[in-house]
Amino acid sequence: MQDLLAGHPFLAGLPDTWLEPLSLQARRSARHAGSRLFHAGRPARHFWLIIDGRVDIDATAPDGADVVVDTLGAGEVVGWSWLFPPYAWHFGAIAVATTQAIEFDAEGVRRLCDREPALGYELSRRFMVVLLRRLQATRDRCATHGVTAG
């Protein structure tokens, strides 16, 4: 598992001293197309590093329909709500193709980060980069559709 973690772009460059304990909180996961990873509002107990496949991130529109806000693929991370209280999903996620991933136990990773503050800082920094990229992508999509902030 440690080699699999080391080869994922999200964890690239982390020292073995951090990859080893992270690997104890991880397992391989496979999801078939149509399988929901999580629903908005429910407890955020896991996160995933995608090895292969595609996952749609969705939100519920006022009419109750699920609206896709992003699509993630190989090399990307799914889920950040586990990192911040109240540890509940802000969006939903569904596999849109057979998806191979590394699934992490969020509570175990939080405990590990509490014991290893430098690891916690590094993971937080990496997740913030993901959040900023996704925010910018959302802004770009809104601009393409004539939606402005304000």
Side-chain angles (χ1 to χ4, degrees), residues 14 18 83 112-114 116-128:
L14 280 186
W18 288 344
L83 198 55
L112 178 59
C113 291
D114 287 343
E116 296 280 345
L119 170 61
Y121 172 77
E122 182 60 25
L123 287 178
S124 295
R125 190 186 68 72
R126 290 172 186 230
F127 271 99
M128 293 310 292

Side-chain angles (χ1 to χ4, degrees), residues 81-88 90 110:
S81 298
W82 66 274
L83 198 55
F84 308 103
Y87 310 120
H90 295 254
R110 283 195 306 268

Side-chain angles (χ1 to χ4, degrees), residues 20-36:
E20 182 180 352
L22 276 172
S23 71
L24 299 175
Q25 303 303 322
R27 68 179 185 90
R28 289 192 70 123
S29 171
R31 300 291 178 119
H32 297 291
S35 173
R36 185 158 285 280

Side-chain angles (χ1 to χ4, degrees), residues 66-136:
D66 289 329
V67 176
V68 174
V69 296
D70 205 355
T71 300
L72 307 176
E76 296 190 87
V77 61
V78 178
W80 49 264
S81 298
W82 66 274
L83 198 55
F84 308 103
Y87 310 120
W89 296 115
H90 295 254
F91 297 94
I94 188 167
V96 293
T98 299
T99 301
Q100 302 293 323
I102 305 164
E103 181 176 335
F104 287 86
D105 174 70
E107 188 175 338
V109 174
R110 283 195 306 268
R111 281 193 310 267
L112 178 59
C113 291
D114 287 343
R115 286 193 311 269
E116 296 280 345
L119 170 61
Y121 172 77
E122 182 60 25
L123 287 178
S124 295
R125 190 186 68 72
R126 290 172 186 230
F127 271 99
M128 293 310 292
V129 169
V130 169
L131 287 167
L132 289 172
R133 272 195 225 129
R134 292 191 187 157
L135 179 61
Q136 184 61 49

